[in-house]
């Protein structure tokens, strides 16, 4: 049973920083894409950042230059460093990981979410 557990969320003032972590536990295949999503109240879940197996990252426009996604495949971790936070970054943040098993089938996993609240 694979579980993803996020940590690092909390309340911060505008302009502050937070670092989210997501740890995968259990037997997981070869790590593939890792992503951070967020969902604000009354809004759809949206992708924030993606990192591919080679370490190449892409970001949504509203966070580019402020957020940095990184990964550590040995530790089975994915991180999101968030700087210059704005009130509109307030949301529940979810990590997503997919992996390929021994038969190269794609398996997908989601964390339970961590709340980030940015006060003005």
């Amino acid at each position: 049973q694979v579980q993803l557990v996020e940590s690092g969320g909390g309340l911060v003032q505008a302009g502050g920083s937070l670092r989210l972590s997501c740890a995968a536990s259990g037997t997981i295949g070869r790590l593939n894409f890792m992503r951070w999503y967020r969902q604000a109240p009354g809004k759809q879940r949206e992708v924030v950042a993606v990192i591919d197996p080679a370490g190449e990252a892409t970001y949504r426009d509203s966070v580019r230059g402020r957020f940095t996604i990184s990964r550590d495949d040995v530790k089975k971790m994915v991180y999101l460093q968030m700087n210059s936070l704005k009130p509109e970054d307030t949301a529940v943040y979810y990590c997503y990981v997919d992996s390929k098993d021994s038969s190269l089938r794609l398996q997908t996993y989601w964390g339970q979410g961590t709340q980030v609240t940015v006060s003005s």
Side-chain angles (χ1 to χ4, degrees), residues 101-118:
D101 63 18
S102 56
S103 301
L104 299 182
R105 290 172 301 192
L106 196 68
Q107 307 290 335
T108 62
Y109 307 98
W110 287 88
Q112 83 288 352
T114 186
Q115 177 70 47
V116 171
T117 303
V118 185

Side-chain angles (χ1 to χ4, degrees), residues 1 24 41-42 55 66 99-100 105 114 119:
Q1 184 85 9
R66 299 188 296 122
S99 69
K100 294 186 178 179
R105 290 172 301 192
T114 186
S119 63

Side-chain angles (χ1 to χ4, degrees), residues 4 10 13 15 20 33 36 42 44 47 63 71 76-78 85 90-91 106 120:
L4 299 185
Q13 287 190 329
L20 305 183
F33 282 81
W36 285 97
Q44 289 191 329
V47 63
V63 308
R71 61 191 286 165
K76 297 186 289 184
M77 301 279 296
V78 59
L85 282 161
T90 295
L106 196 68
S120 57

Side-chain angles (χ1 to χ4, degrees), residues 14-47:
S17 298
L18 286 172
R19 187 188 193 216
L20 305 183
S21 299
C22 175
S25 63
T27 302
I28 191 168
R30 188 175 66 193
L31 296 173
N32 197 38
F33 282 81
M34 295 177 160
R35 303 182 184 132
W36 285 97
Y37 287 77
R38 68 186 180 188
Q39 187 166 20
K43 295 189 176 181
Q44 289 191 329
R45 190 172 297 190
E46 61 186 20
V47 63

Side-chain angles (χ1 to χ4, degrees), residues 24-106:
S25 63
T27 302
I28 191 168
R30 188 175 66 193
L31 296 173
N32 197 38
F33 282 81
M34 295 177 160
R35 303 182 184 132
W36 285 97
Y37 287 77
R38 68 186 180 188
Q39 187 166 20
K43 295 189 176 181
Q44 289 191 329
R45 190 172 297 190
E46 61 186 20
V47 63
V48 175
V50 182
I51 187 165
D52 72 10
E56 292 292 320
T58 55
Y59 302 90
R60 69 181 305 106
D61 287 348
S62 61
V63 308
R64 191 176 296 114
R66 299 188 296 122
F67 290 11
T68 303
I69 188 172
S70 60
R71 61 191 286 165
D72 185 330
D73 287 10
V74 173
K75 294 182 179 178
K76 297 186 289 184
M77 301 279 296
V78 59
Y79 306 96
L80 186 68
Q81 177 66 43
M82 306 186 293
N83 299 327
S84 302
L85 282 161
K86 304 176 180 180
E88 51 263 42
D89 295 318
T90 295
V92 177
Y93 284 71
Y94 299 89
C95 68
Y96 162 98
V97 172
D98 62 55
S99 69
K100 294 186 178 179
D101 63 18
S102 56
S103 301
L104 299 182
R105 290 172 301 192
L106 196 68

